[in-house]
Amino acid sequence: MLTRAELLGFMRASRFAVEASVSGEGAPQAAVIGIAVTDQFELVFDTLDTTRKAANLRRDPRIALAIGGAGDGQERTVQLEGVADEPTGDDRQRLQQVYFAQFPDGPTRLGWAGLIYVRVRPTWLRHSDFRRDPPEIVELDAAGLASLR
């Protein structure tokens, strides 16, 4: 049975994810991003406000991410759907600290013009572990994530 600690540990060990958003014309767009994960399963990443992903998410905050599964012996993945926002104030500072713990070089980018932080609050998550026979696949909605022990 998947535990909160196991899921958080896996997600935090994966420093990168592929995010997908939708352009104004309805076309899918994807990018590799550096991620950090809070105890509440919020994901945070930085980007420039001139990127396609920033424009897409400001227009339509729905986002999907794929984490893990990139090498031999790593047949585990998280597929995640959620809602993105740009936190401000105390939320932004809290999330920056989580991000800087994962990416110690993060503060060097603070002076970049147009740098923003994006938070993703999951609404659905699927963890798949194909190292097991049979594979273990667990789907959780936001309430299921909140109650995961």
Side-chain angles (χ1 to χ4, degrees):
M1 186 63 163
L2 182 66
T3 67
R4 180 181 202 84
E6 182 182 12
L7 182 56
L8 281 170
F10 172 71
M11 291 175 71
R12 288 176 171 157
S14 302
R15 293 172 31 104
F16 297 95
V18 175
E19 70 80 28
S21 58
V22 179
S23 76
E25 295 76 35
Q29 294 179 337
V32 175
I33 56 172
I35 59 166
V37 182
T38 72
D39 289 343
Q40 295 76 38
F41 295 100
E42 299 163 298
L43 282 78
V44 61
F45 64 93
D46 68 1
T47 191
L48 297 176
D49 62 2
T50 55
T51 61
R52 296 185 318 168
K53 72 179 100 23
N56 293 346
L57 294 170
R58 284 177 170 167
R59 190 187 54 268
D60 181 347
R62 295 175 299 165
I63 187 171
L65 295 104
I67 303 168
D72 289 339
Q74 300 176 1
E75 291 84 9
R76 281 176 77 186
T77 62
V78 163
Q79 296 166 256
L80 182 146
E81 295 174 1
V83 178
D85 70 352
E86 295 176 44
T88 60
D90 291 343
D91 265 354
R92 179 182 164 127
Q93 289 179 346
R94 174 182 62 83
L95 291 164
Q96 280 178 317
Q97 294 312 306
V98 172
Y99 185 81
F100 296 159
Q102 181 78 308
F103 295 94
D105 65 327
T108 65
R109 293 189 289 281
L110 287 173
W112 290 8
L115 184 74
I116 62 171
Y117 289 86
V118 177
R119 166 181 44 201
V120 177
R121 292 181 173 140
T123 57
W124 175 87
L125 181 146
R126 174 185 288 155
H127 174 264
S128 300
D129 187 346
F130 296 102
R131 301 169 305 169
R132 302 174 187 225
D133 187 20
E136 179 183 69
I137 299 174
V138 177
E139 288 190 25
L140 300 162
D141 61 12
L145 279 170
S147 65
L148 189 62
R149 299 284 175 224

